[in-house]
Amino acid sequence: MIGDQTKPEDFENVGGGDHSHIKGWGIDRDPKNDPTYPMKHRTDEEIEGYTWERPEQQPVNIEVLHSVERPNIPAVFGTAQPPQGLSGALRRFAFKYSESSYGRWLPLVMADRLGEIEGIVDDLKKGHIPNLFAEHGLKSEWKYNRKKFVLKSAVTAAALAGVLLFLTRDKKD
């Protein structure tokens, strides 16, 4: 076994202390056994094939959100779902932050959830009643993960009951 071939004295002691009792400890310390070893010693000959010309810029006829880390928009982008409504405002807010920031990703996740609700409201405005059971894969959830489905349903029912009680409470206080 590879883990049994590695001995702490073969390589420099990493992390302090004796870790020989941990199976596989230090297995990647030997460059001959490191899967990334050839990439660490590039000659840059293979990079020559990486050059490419930027595609022609797609016409910008809708709002395109792009990273603050990039000075320009991508050459090609999707146009099916331009930012709109409250979810769009949340997306515009999120794109003011760096890609490595929670200030970017948490609002984007919330905007996705809000966009789903906006879509349901839009469907209802058009007279179409969405089949949420089918659209959310609840048939498969019931078939393959019944316990979690029942738990999710109970939590959702409790949350809705709590919101309903809150909204219909007596406001004398």
Side-chain angles (χ1 to χ4, degrees):
M1 260 180 127
I2 295 174
D4 296 335
Q5 295 171 358
T6 306
K7 297 179 183 73
E9 61 269 16
D10 291 342
F11 313 111
E12 61 187 303
N13 193 359
V14 180
D18 180 21
H19 301 288
S20 61
H21 63 284
I22 302 172
K23 185 176 183 179
W25 180 264
I27 198 167
D28 58 350
R29 299 296 299 162
D30 181 4
K32 289 180 250 162
N33 195 28
D34 183 358
T36 63
Y37 177 72
M39 290 189 282
K40 291 180 183 176
H41 301 286
R42 289 185 182 238
T43 60
D44 290 335
E45 292 173 11
E46 66 275 2
I47 294 176
E48 292 174 11
Y50 293 167
T51 58
W52 60 283
E53 291 183 24
R54 181 180 165 93
E56 183 180 328
Q57 179 66 52
Q58 178 179 344
V60 181
N61 53 13
I62 62 165
E63 180 183 9
V64 179
L65 300 174
H66 65 93
S67 173
V68 294
E69 280 101 9
R70 298 178 181 269
N72 55 2
I73 62 172
V76 181
F77 49 86
T79 59
Q81 296 291 334
Q84 59 187 4
L86 194 54
S87 64
L90 199 52
R91 288 180 192 286
R92 286 182 202 96
F93 170 78
F95 271 85
K96 293 178 183 177
Y97 291 92
S98 169
E99 292 181 10
S100 63
S101 168
Y102 282 124
R104 166 122 173 198
W105 296 108
L106 292 178
L108 285 176
V109 169
M110 288 191 301
D112 285 345
R113 303 307 179 261
L114 191 57
E116 180 183 7
I117 294 169
E118 289 174 338
I120 292 169
V121 169
D122 191 42
D123 282 347
L124 292 173
K125 280 183 187 176
K126 294 177 182 175
H128 171 72
I129 299 173
N131 185 354
L132 297 177
F133 194 80
E135 290 175 9
H136 288 161
L138 298 178
K139 183 178 178 183
S140 294
E141 186 84 33
W142 177 255
K143 184 176 180 181
Y144 297 107
N145 199 2
R146 192 168 294 183
K147 183 178 178 182
K148 193 170 183 180
F149 175 82
V150 170
L151 179 64
K152 277 194 223 178
S153 299
V155 169
T156 301
L160 288 174
V163 169
L164 186 63
L165 286 173
F166 178 76
L167 293 175
T168 59
R169 74 184 189 288
D170 199 13
K171 299 180 182 178
K172 292 179 185 176
D173 294 327

